[in-house]
Structure formats: C-alpha cells, structure tokens
Amino acid sequence: MSKDFSDIQTREIGLKKTLTAGQLGMIALGGAIGTGLFLGSKFAIGFAGPSVILSYMIGGAIALMLMAVLAEMTVKHPTSGSFGAYAEYYIGPLAGFLTRYMYWICIVLAVGTEVTAVGEYMQLWFPGVPPWIWVVVFAAALILVNAMNVKNFGTLEYWFSAIKVFAIIAFVIIAAWLVFFSGNQDYGVKNVTAEGGFMPNGLTGMWFAVIVSIFSYLSIEMIAVAAGEAKEPEAAVKKAFKATILRLLVFYFATLTLIVMIAPVSEIMAGGSPFVTVMQVVGIPFADSILNFVVIIAALSAMNSQLYISTRMMYSLSRAGEAPRAFGKVRKNGAPLNALLLSTAGIAVATIIYVLYPDEAFTMMFAVSMFGAMFTWFMIFLTHILFRKKLAAKGEKLGYRIKGSRIGAYLGALMMIAVTVSTAFTEQFRATLPFGIPCLILTVIAFFFVQRNKRKRGIAGGHDGAIAASPEDASAGGHAG
C-alpha cells in the first residue's frame, strides 16, 4: 500500500483539467438519464407494474447513499482513478485492481447496451434498415467525439444532457396536465390500480424491478471519475453531487408516476420506450417522433459519457502498471486515444449479438453488464467504511461531511448484496451471475499474474510497482517507468 495517496495522484497526471462544475453535473446526468430510464423502465414495469414507483424510490435511495460516500472521498482525493484508486489505497492492491477492471467491463458492456437501444429506437422511422447499421454509424461518430479534447467532449455532453432535461421537463408538464387538469377519465389513478392492481406481481415483482433501477441510476458515480479533469475539483464535486441527486430523483419519480397513470401496463409492455408509448396513447401529433428523437439523444449521451468514463478507468489501470503501457499514453489534446479504442470493445460485442440475436440483444447486454455495476457499487460502499475508519484512527477531519453517510455505507453494502443475489431468481437476469462470477474469478487470477510480471521486471513506482509519471512526460504522451 502506498504511504500517501498523492503517490497515486502523481502517476495519473497528464489529463487536462478543463471541465467546469456545470459540465461535470451534466456528464453525470448524461450517463444516468439514458436507456435505463427511457427503455429499461419498460422492463421494470413488466416486473412491478405500477409499483415500479416504489422500485425506483428504493434504487434512488441506494444511489443517494452512494453519492454521499463518493462525495466525501472525492473531495478528499480528486483523481481520475477515483473509487478504483480509493479501493487500492484503503483496502489493498487486489481491491483496486478488481474495482477498476470490473467497472471497466461493466461500462464497456453498458456502452453496448446504449448503442443496441439506439438501433431499436431507429426502427420507428426506418423499419426496413437493419438495426446493426445504426449501431455502427452512431458508434463511429461518438468515438470521434471522444478522440477530441475533453473540453469539446464536455461541451457536447452538456448540450446532449440539456436536451434530455428540457424534454423530460416538457413531458412532465404535458403529462401532469393530462392527468390532473384535462378532465379526461382515461387518465389517472384508475390505471395505477387496474390490470392486477398496484402490485400485480407482489412484493417479489416490485423488488426485482429494483435491479433494473440500479442499472438506470448507473453512471452517477462518473462524477467522481470526471473530477480528475475538473478545474476546481472540490467545489465542482460538491455542486455537481447536490444538483445531480435532486434532478435524478425528481425526474425518475415524476416521470414513472405519470407514465403508469396515463397508459395501462398492457399498452406499455406492447410498445417500445414507455415515453413514446404514452405519446402514442395520448395522440399528440408527431409527439412520438419528437420523443423518439429525444430518446435517441439520451442513449447517445449516455453512450458518450460511458465511453469517456471507461477510457479514463483504463488509463488509470495503465498508470498503475496493471494494463499495457500504451493505454496510459495521451495525445497532445489530452485524450487517451489507445484506452478509448480498447473501450469500444462493448460496441463490437453489441454489434455481433445484434446480428446473431436481434430480438434479445438489448436484454442480453443489459443482463451481463449488471454484475460489474453491482460489484462496483458494493466496493464503493466497502471502501468508504474503511476510509472513515482510517481517517478516524489518524484523527483527520473530513473536508466535506454528509450526515448519515457512515450508516449509509453499511446499509448500501447490504442492499447491493441482496440485489445481486436476487438476479439469480429472475429469468431476464439469468446471465448476470453465470457471466459475472467467472469474470470476477478470472480477474483475480489476472491480478496475481500481473503482480508476478511486475516483480519479474522489477518495476519501481510510487505504489506497489505502479508506473510513475511526471507532468512533462504525461503531457507529451510519454510514460515514465
């Protein structure tokens, strides 16, 4: 274990600190308001019916606890390695290795989930065009964006997210008017209690929908990673965390409540995105096409953010000496291009699955990416528990303390174990544990293989053989060793 966390921060020098607090917040929204809300909510409604509202509230509570513990650690240690670096420092090298790699695998596959969703959405306008063609076209465009400097990426993501936020607000206003003020008896509480009632599949169905909600909230943690490229990380993180949690909870709770009040569950399940289905049920001219455009923007935005975050995690692994040196190099514009190209693997996997299993592509990618997400969230909670204990033992005070975060870390860790175990009892997530557990075992084996190679090569560095980098080497794209 490193004697000081600054050793880790030093080796990750090289990325340009140009993101503003506003861009940081929008990057988090960009990742978290995507396919999970616009298409994944359909699967959650299939599990829970109208009680999906409770499912997303439970998932939101877990996300709130996660944001609290991350905020405290990020303000203390802003770096692109983020929770992977925290796990390395406060738990041990194996924990840091597993957290980074499992998160990287999860996000890479999540990118595939987003891009397969785009293929689904485009069918509304171009039913005769094979969806995989759209996968390739949009993937190429976003790879190009991520190869630019981070300021351009942040600007694009800001406007992507702004379109989504505006559209959701407009949807909430229109839907609320229809439900509460239009006088139309087809909309309202009766749809919440029809077709089997509020909880048609009981508590079990409501709980299984929590799994989907966790995936929906996935990517809020990317604020902590992006903090490594923020102009004033401490101030930006505090502002972004507060704003993001409030927006997410309001958006998810308000939109899902209105959706189940407007459209019966049977109609939602028969359509594509619940948002588009609601507009079709209401019969507003061209509203379904307008919303479909927004849904596509949402998926592209989430994919854009996830490409960014998976690239930074691979960069961090390389700088730790736990991935090939080439992935730790940066271009003159500050973009780690090699890490980016590797992180497009999920798009390739998604394209192949789409060609082979077009009807099951989205759910398959959804299921296999879940394990890494749940493992990462669990490790973040566990890291915070040890983070607090170490600071208390040293008599250090937190620069940013959130009330209830210590209890939240324990509760969040237990909830993540419960959610992970629950995937074994759902048909839709039958691939999660069979994919995730062997993947975790292989990653553990890979860790010991990497450590043995480090010792053989006699690599010296600031942290257990990590590769140290000077600012001059990093900015030039070099990689000191």
Side-chain angles (χ1 to χ4, degrees), residues 9 68 77 101 131 136 162 215 220-221 223 241 264 365 370 373 383 404:
Q9 290 173 311
H77 305 299
Y101 265 110
V136 173
F215 185 85
I220 57 171
E221 70 286 334
I223 293 180
F241 272 116
M365 293 296 295
M370 274 302 299
T383 302

Side-chain angles (χ1 to χ4, degrees), residues 275-344:
F275 287 78
V276 177
T277 300
V278 164
M279 290 297 98
Q280 290 172 332
V281 167
V282 172
I284 297 175
F286 304 111
D288 55 345
S289 284
I290 294 171
L291 207 50
N292 195 57
F293 168 75
V294 172
V295 169
I296 289 170
I297 290 293
L300 291 175
S301 169
M303 180 183 165
N304 197 33
S305 291
Q306 288 160 355
L307 272 176
Y308 166 83
I309 222 70
S310 57
T311 299
R312 268 58 186 177
M313 198 55 65
M314 181 50 61
Y315 170 87
S316 177
L317 278 161
S318 177
R319 290 290 169 141
E322 294 173 343
R325 296 162 68 99
F327 300 126
K329 294 183 178 181
V330 294
R331 300 174 67 199
K332 289 183 178 179
N333 67 359
L337 184 61
N338 294 338
L340 168 64
L341 294 176
L342 180 66
S343 297
T344 61

Side-chain angles (χ1 to χ4, degrees), residues 130-160:
W132 66 265
I133 291 178
W134 299 115
V135 170
V136 173
V137 169
F138 287 116
L142 290 184
I143 290 169
L144 183 63
V145 168
N146 275 267
M148 299 176 185
N149 65 52
V150 72
K151 186 175 182 180
N152 289 341
F153 160 81
T155 301
L156 178 66
E157 193 53 46
Y158 182 92
W159 289 110
F160 264 173

Side-chain angles (χ1 to χ4, degrees), residues 206-441:
M206 187 276 292
W207 173 253
F208 286 159
V210 174
I211 302 170
V212 185
S213 79
I214 294 297
F215 185 85
S216 299
Y217 290 114
L218 176 66
S219 293
I220 57 171
E221 70 286 334
M222 69 172 55
I223 293 180
V225 182
E229 293 176 84
K231 288 179 180 177
E232 299 175 347
E234 291 84 359
V237 166
K238 290 177 185 179
K239 183 177 179 181
F241 272 116
K242 290 176 182 177
T244 303
I245 274 296
L246 178 63
R247 290 168 184 167
L248 284 178
L249 293 179
V250 169
F251 288 163
Y252 275 95
F253 180 73
T255 53
L256 289 171
T257 300
L258 290 166
I259 283 171
V260 296
M261 292 180 82
I262 290 176
V265 171
S266 58
E267 291 193 42
I268 293 172
M269 297 311 297
S273 167
F275 287 78
V276 177
T277 300
V278 164
M279 290 297 98
Q280 290 172 332
V281 167
V282 172
I284 297 175
F286 304 111
D288 55 345
S289 284
I290 294 171
L291 207 50
N292 195 57
F293 168 75
V294 172
V295 169
I296 289 170
I297 290 293
L300 291 175
S301 169
M303 180 183 165
N304 197 33
S305 291
Q306 288 160 355
L307 272 176
Y308 166 83
I309 222 70
S310 57
T311 299
R312 268 58 186 177
M313 198 55 65
M314 181 50 61
Y315 170 87
S316 177
L317 278 161
S318 177
R319 290 290 169 141
E322 294 173 343
R325 296 162 68 99
F327 300 126
K329 294 183 178 181
V330 294
R331 300 174 67 199
K332 289 183 178 179
N333 67 359
L337 184 61
N338 294 338
L340 168 64
L341 294 176
L342 180 66
S343 297
T344 61
I347 299 170
V349 172
T351 306
I352 293 168
I353 290 178
Y354 225 139
V355 172
L356 297 177
Y357 309 101
D359 296 331
E360 301 174 10
F362 177 77
T363 51
M364 196 178 297
M365 293 296 295
F366 195 95
V368 298
S369 66
M370 274 302 299
F371 185 86
M374 294 183 293
F375 177 81
T376 301
W377 280 28
F378 170 78
M379 290 301 292
I380 290 171
F381 287 124
L382 179 61
T383 302
H384 184 267
I385 292 169
L386 296 175
F387 163 77
R388 279 296 200 99
K389 284 184 176 180
K390 184 167 183 176
L391 289 189
K394 292 168 67 177
E396 288 188 32
K397 290 187 177 181
L398 282 173
Y400 185 46
R401 181 188 295 270
I402 298 176
K403 192 174 181 180
S405 62
R406 179 173 287 184
I407 296 173
Y410 285 98
L411 185 58
L414 290 174
M415 291 288 280
M416 292 318 302
I417 292 172
V419 171
T420 303
V421 171
S422 298
T423 62
F425 303 96
T426 60
E427 180 67 19
Q428 289 84 347
F429 292 99
R430 65 186 182 276
T432 299
L433 290 179
F435 168 80
I437 292 175
C439 187
L440 184 62
I441 293 170

